[in-house]
Each structure stands twice: as structure tokens, then as C-alpha cells.
Amino acid sequence: MTAATADAVPGPDEPAGRPFADCTADSAGGLTFDIALPGEGERWDAGLLLRRRGTDPVETVRLPLVPAGEGTFRAVLPSTVPLAEGRWNAYLVLGESGPRRLLPGRTDLGPLLERVPRSGRTWLGVRIPYGTRHGNLAVRAWLRWPHAEAADLRLDSGGMTLHGRLFGAALSPEARIELRQGHAGQPVLSAPVTHDGPGFVCRLPLTGLVPRPSGEERWDLWLRTDPAAEAVRVGRILDDLPDKRYTADTPKVPLAEAEGTVAQVCYTADNDLSLLLAPVGGLPAR
């Protein structure tokens, strides 16, 4: 059940003695949280609280904690329960003592790598638990439909070749990959896609793109399924990595038609795909 209540606002983190939550994913996208609470018996007022960052009023989802063995309690976030896109901090709630931030324990996210969303659904929910830079437990959530999932992507001196799969919409004969700046920007480059059902491939020549002399410039990748349809952002979210900005090692490639310019594919904070261009030596390691 989703709620937005003032009393769900957590207090400051406790410096020591906070509980850990072990997280297990299933192939449908659901999550199970196991929390060791030695000495606690069955109680009706125990819960796991998820609070979405940056929401006013506070947006929360509370999951009941039930006994799952001696000294262990379990909360389940089913794949059938939508979770708004964003980052959700995780807390333990016991009675009137106030929410306590949870620490990340062991994780088993392997089933997420085998996930293939069903074509008959009306939304795609992806949830990946992770440890924040401050050592706390959080869940990165995506809620999209349609969704264009990038698979193999290769960048060379002449352009980019992208393989992917579209969920939640159909590709028309006029479907195209677009390169644009921002959601409302007009495409600066586009190329047709070849598709077989939901799978698609596109070769996008990188001609006419020139970075600013002062530094790098970024263009975002979109899939236009039909000339009359809204474009769909291309990303990679169907795995177990909550933030690929610092984990995906993508090469820098000199462009043949723009001497002194290098290109690099990168990920945004939302795991969407972008293309960076900069003068040689201008792109930092990513």
C-alpha cells in the first residue's frame, strides 16, 4: 500500500547497531528483504518502509514484516506492485520507536539477468537494491512502458551500431533511432532501424557532429517507433546494476569525419544511453 504521511519522515541515522537486510530478487522482478532481529517474536507493528527521495509530500510504501525463521523477519515487494521511478531509501519500523535506516546485507540479484518482461502487461517495473555512498540500503526503481532496452552497442570511427529490443509497443516500417539534445530537442541525426518483431538494429552514421571548442557535448539516444508516436528513450535497465555511470567501461573512438574529435557512449544517472563528443583529450575516464 502506498501512503504519503508526515509521520513516515525518518529521523537521523543511528551511528551504530542498525540492522541489515539481505535482498533476493526473482525473475519476475520482485524483491524479498530478510532482516535478522534476534529476540523479537511475532508482532503486528513491524514493517519495512520505503521512502522515495525528493518527494513533497512524503511518498512511501510500507511492507509488512512477518516471521521467516528464528530471529528473522521477511518483507516482500511483489513484481505486481508498482513503485514509482526514482530512488527509495529503506527503513525498519518497529512500533512507535521511529524508522531506522537499514544497512545492505547479502544480495542475490542473479535472476534479474534472466528476466524477459511479458508482452501483455501495461507497465514495466524494475527494482534494484544497492548500497548508497553512505553505506545505507536503497532501491533504484524504474517504471516505464514502452521501453527500449539496448543490447549490443558498438562505436567505430564512422558511426554507431545499436542492437536492442522494444517492449510495450510495435515498430513500424518507418521506425528510426534519433540523436537529440534533451527531451524536447529536435533530432540532429536519425537513421532507420531494421527489426524482426520487437528486436531491432540500427546503423547511425555520426556525420556533421562537432563538439564545442570549450569541451564535451552530449546527445541522447531515442527510438521513434512511428512518425506519429512519441519517441522512447533508449536505456539499459534489465540487469542488476543500479548506476552504470561508473561501472561501464566504454572506449573513446576518434571520428573519421571530424578530425581531432573523439566519441564515447555513456550512461546517465537513469541508465539511459547518451553519446559524448569532445576534442581529443577532452573526455574524462568513465
Side-chain angles (χ1 to χ4, degrees), residues 2 9 16 31 46 55 58 72 120 122 125 131 134 138 141 144 171 186 193 208 214 216 232 259 285:
T2 304
V9 179
L31 292 177
T55 56
V58 175
T72 301
T122 57
H134 298 298
R144 300 184 177 184
L171 290 162
Q186 293 299 312
V193 304
S214 58
E216 70 180 46
V232 180
E259 186 176 353

mmCIF file of all heavy atoms in Angstrom, residues 2 9 16 31 46 55 58 72 120 122 125 131 134 138 141 144 171 186 193 208 214 216 232 259 285:
data_model
loop_
_atom_site.group_PDB
_atom_site.id
_atom_site.type_symbol
_atom_site.label_atom_id
_atom_site.label_comp_id
_atom_site.label_asym_id
_atom_site.label_seq_id
_atom_site.Cartn_x
_atom_site.Cartn_y
_atom_site.Cartn_z
ATOM 1 N N THR A 2 0.576 2.223 -0.830
ATOM 2 C CA THR A 2 1.334 3.454 -0.906
ATOM 3 C C THR A 2 0.666 4.510 -0.070
ATOM 4 O O THR A 2 -0.551 4.658 -0.073
ATOM 5 C CB THR A 2 1.426 3.939 -2.362
ATOM 6 O OG1 THR A 2 1.995 2.909 -3.146
ATOM 7 C CG2 THR A 2 2.267 5.186 -2.482
ATOM 8 N N VAL A 9 8.218 10.402 7.962
ATOM 9 C CA VAL A 9 9.515 11.033 7.750
ATOM 10 C C VAL A 9 10.512 10.477 8.749
ATOM 11 O O VAL A 9 10.299 10.553 9.963
ATOM 12 C CB VAL A 9 9.414 12.565 7.910
ATOM 13 C CG1 VAL A 9 10.776 13.212 7.721
ATOM 14 C CG2 VAL A 9 8.422 13.129 6.918
ATOM 15 N N ALA A 16 25.278 3.394 15.139
ATOM 16 C CA ALA A 16 25.728 2.006 15.297
ATOM 17 C C ALA A 16 24.536 1.130 15.637
ATOM 18 O O ALA A 16 23.499 1.590 16.091
ATOM 19 C CB ALA A 16 26.790 1.917 16.395
ATOM 20 N N LEU A 31 11.131 -8.436 -5.117
ATOM 21 C CA LEU A 31 12.232 -8.411 -4.161
ATOM 22 C C LEU A 31 11.773 -8.945 -2.809
ATOM 23 O O LEU A 31 10.640 -8.693 -2.376
ATOM 24 C CB LEU A 31 12.753 -6.980 -3.959
ATOM 25 C CG LEU A 31 13.476 -6.304 -5.122
ATOM 26 C CD1 LEU A 31 13.840 -4.878 -4.734
ATOM 27 C CD2 LEU A 31 14.716 -7.084 -5.519
ATOM 28 N N ALA A 46 5.511 -4.375 12.972
ATOM 29 C CA ALA A 46 6.820 -4.372 12.314
ATOM 30 C C ALA A 46 6.637 -4.187 10.812
ATOM 31 O O ALA A 46 5.747 -4.784 10.197
ATOM 32 C CB ALA A 46 7.568 -5.677 12.595
ATOM 33 N N THR A 55 10.497 13.811 -2.636
ATOM 34 C CA THR A 55 9.052 13.966 -2.789
ATOM 35 C C THR A 55 8.490 14.817 -1.662
ATOM 36 O O THR A 55 8.859 14.670 -0.501
ATOM 37 C CB THR A 55 8.337 12.603 -2.797
ATOM 38 O OG1 THR A 55 8.655 11.885 -1.603
ATOM 39 C CG2 THR A 55 8.774 11.789 -3.998
ATOM 40 N N VAL A 58 5.711 13.605 1.480
ATOM 41 C CA VAL A 58 6.498 12.381 1.522
ATOM 42 C C VAL A 58 5.742 11.241 0.842
ATOM 43 O O VAL A 58 4.553 11.031 1.084
ATOM 44 C CB VAL A 58 6.831 12.014 2.982
ATOM 45 C CG1 VAL A 58 7.551 10.674 3.041
ATOM 46 C CG2 VAL A 58 7.675 13.103 3.620
ATOM 47 N N THR A 72 14.386 -14.033 12.412
ATOM 48 C CA THR A 72 14.422 -13.407 11.089
ATOM 49 C C THR A 72 13.022 -12.991 10.663
ATOM 50 O O THR A 72 12.060 -13.747 10.838
ATOM 51 C CB THR A 72 15.007 -14.361 10.029
ATOM 52 O OG1 THR A 72 16.328 -14.734 10.410
ATOM 53 C CG2 THR A 72 15.056 -13.692 8.662
ATOM 54 N N GLY A 120 2.314 -8.843 -22.651
ATOM 55 C CA GLY A 120 0.925 -8.498 -22.420
ATOM 56 C C GLY A 120 0.671 -7.555 -21.268
ATOM 57 O O GLY A 120 -0.481 -7.231 -20.990
ATOM 58 N N THR A 122 1.008 -3.890 -18.901
ATOM 59 C CA THR A 122 0.784 -2.474 -19.204
ATOM 60 C C THR A 122 1.842 -1.567 -18.579
ATOM 61 O O THR A 122 1.813 -0.364 -18.783
ATOM 62 C CB THR A 122 -0.594 -2.035 -18.705
ATOM 63 O OG1 THR A 122 -0.700 -2.298 -17.294
ATOM 64 C CG2 THR A 122 -1.693 -2.795 -19.441
ATOM 65 N N GLY A 125 8.158 -2.640 -14.383
ATOM 66 C CA GLY A 125 8.785 -2.190 -13.156
ATOM 67 C C GLY A 125 10.115 -2.897 -12.949
ATOM 68 O O GLY A 125 10.184 -4.125 -13.011
ATOM 69 N N GLY A 131 23.725 -0.448 -2.121
ATOM 70 C CA GLY A 131 24.259 0.323 -1.015
ATOM 71 C C GLY A 131 24.621 1.721 -1.478
ATOM 72 O O GLY A 131 25.307 1.902 -2.481
ATOM 73 N N HIS A 134 26.842 6.377 1.366
ATOM 74 C CA HIS A 134 26.946 6.499 2.823
ATOM 75 C C HIS A 134 26.757 5.157 3.526
ATOM 76 O O HIS A 134 26.717 5.102 4.752
ATOM 77 C CB HIS A 134 25.914 7.492 3.342
ATOM 78 C CG HIS A 134 26.098 8.886 2.798
ATOM 79 N ND1 HIS A 134 27.229 9.632 3.029
ATOM 80 C CD2 HIS A 134 25.294 9.647 2.007
ATOM 81 C CE1 HIS A 134 27.116 10.809 2.419
ATOM 82 N NE2 HIS A 134 25.957 10.836 1.788
ATOM 83 N N ALA A 138 19.211 1.174 -0.236
ATOM 84 C CA ALA A 138 18.234 1.884 -1.042
ATOM 85 C C ALA A 138 17.816 0.989 -2.203
ATOM 86 O O ALA A 138 18.453 -0.037 -2.480
ATOM 87 C CB ALA A 138 18.799 3.207 -1.550
ATOM 88 N N ALA A 141 14.412 2.321 -8.634
ATOM 89 C CA ALA A 141 13.218 1.819 -9.318
ATOM 90 C C ALA A 141 13.031 2.539 -10.647
ATOM 91 O O ALA A 141 13.268 3.749 -10.763
ATOM 92 C CB ALA A 141 11.986 2.020 -8.438
ATOM 93 N N ARG A 144 8.343 2.071 -16.500
ATOM 94 C CA ARG A 144 8.262 2.516 -17.891
ATOM 95 C C ARG A 144 7.402 1.566 -18.730
ATOM 96 O O ARG A 144 7.322 0.392 -18.451
ATOM 97 C CB ARG A 144 9.672 2.598 -18.508
ATOM 98 C CG ARG A 144 10.576 3.571 -17.776
ATOM 99 C CD ARG A 144 11.915 3.738 -18.428
ATOM 100 N NE ARG A 144 12.713 4.734 -17.729
ATOM 101 C CZ ARG A 144 13.905 5.148 -18.123
ATOM 102 N NH1 ARG A 144 14.447 4.635 -19.218
ATOM 103 N NH2 ARG A 144 14.558 6.053 -17.430
ATOM 104 N N LEU A 171 6.996 -1.734 -33.652
ATOM 105 C CA LEU A 171 7.856 -0.967 -34.550
ATOM 106 C C LEU A 171 7.235 -0.920 -35.938
ATOM 107 O O LEU A 171 6.912 -1.956 -36.525
ATOM 108 C CB LEU A 171 9.242 -1.601 -34.614
ATOM 109 C CG LEU A 171 10.091 -1.462 -33.345
ATOM 110 C CD1 LEU A 171 11.221 -2.486 -33.352
ATOM 111 C CD2 LEU A 171 10.649 -0.053 -33.232
ATOM 112 N N GLN A 186 15.031 18.852 -31.101
ATOM 113 C CA GLN A 186 14.822 18.233 -32.400
ATOM 114 C C GLN A 186 15.983 17.293 -32.716
ATOM 115 O O GLN A 186 17.128 17.554 -32.331
ATOM 116 C CB GLN A 186 14.707 19.309 -33.480
ATOM 117 C CG GLN A 186 13.474 20.172 -33.362
ATOM 118 C CD GLN A 186 12.194 19.367 -33.486
ATOM 119 O OE1 GLN A 186 12.047 18.551 -34.411
ATOM 120 N NE2 GLN A 186 11.277 19.565 -32.562
ATOM 121 N N VAL A 193 15.684 1.862 -38.566
ATOM 122 C CA VAL A 193 16.005 0.617 -37.882
ATOM 123 C C VAL A 193 15.479 -0.557 -38.704
ATOM 124 O O VAL A 193 14.463 -0.454 -39.394
ATOM 125 C CB VAL A 193 15.407 0.559 -36.459
ATOM 126 C CG1 VAL A 193 15.868 1.742 -35.634
ATOM 127 C CG2 VAL A 193 13.891 0.488 -36.491
ATOM 128 N N GLY A 208 28.597 15.147 -39.312
ATOM 129 C CA GLY A 208 28.157 16.510 -39.040
ATOM 130 C C GLY A 208 28.118 16.895 -37.578
ATOM 131 O O GLY A 208 27.713 18.021 -37.251
ATOM 132 N N SER A 214 35.076 24.444 -26.353
ATOM 133 C CA SER A 214 35.392 24.555 -24.931
ATOM 134 C C SER A 214 35.264 23.244 -24.164
ATOM 135 O O SER A 214 35.670 23.165 -23.011
ATOM 136 C CB SER A 214 34.486 25.597 -24.275
ATOM 137 O OG SER A 214 33.113 25.244 -24.453
ATOM 138 N N GLU A 216 33.139 19.023 -23.864
ATOM 139 C CA GLU A 216 32.313 17.940 -24.377
ATOM 140 C C GLU A 216 30.880 18.384 -24.613
ATOM 141 O O GLU A 216 30.400 19.362 -24.043
ATOM 142 C CB GLU A 216 32.322 16.762 -23.396
ATOM 143 C CG GLU A 216 31.583 17.023 -22.097
ATOM 144 C CD GLU A 216 31.635 15.826 -21.169
ATOM 145 O OE1 GLU A 216 32.714 15.266 -20.996
ATOM 146 O OE2 GLU A 216 30.577 15.469 -20.613
ATOM 147 N N VAL A 232 10.807 7.044 -27.657
ATOM 148 C CA VAL A 232 11.070 6.274 -26.444
ATOM 149 C C VAL A 232 12.563 6.360 -26.145
ATOM 150 O O VAL A 232 13.389 6.091 -27.018
ATOM 151 C CB VAL A 232 10.645 4.800 -26.631
ATOM 152 C CG1 VAL A 232 10.924 3.998 -25.362
ATOM 153 C CG2 VAL A 232 9.169 4.705 -27.008
ATOM 154 N N GLU A 259 38.111 15.515 -37.623
ATOM 155 C CA GLU A 259 39.486 15.385 -37.148
ATOM 156 C C GLU A 259 39.651 16.080 -35.793
ATOM 157 O O GLU A 259 39.152 17.182 -35.575
ATOM 158 C CB GLU A 259 40.441 15.993 -38.170
ATOM 159 C CG GLU A 259 41.906 15.779 -37.828
ATOM 160 C CD GLU A 259 42.827 16.302 -38.914
ATOM 161 O OE1 GLU A 259 42.315 16.707 -39.982
ATOM 162 O OE2 GLU A 259 44.051 16.317 -38.688
ATOM 163 N N ALA A 285 37.883 9.842 -17.890
ATOM 164 C CA ALA A 285 37.617 8.401 -17.805
ATOM 165 C C ALA A 285 36.252 8.188 -17.213
ATOM 166 O O ALA A 285 35.844 8.865 -16.272
ATOM 167 C CB ALA A 285 38.690 7.739 -16.941
#
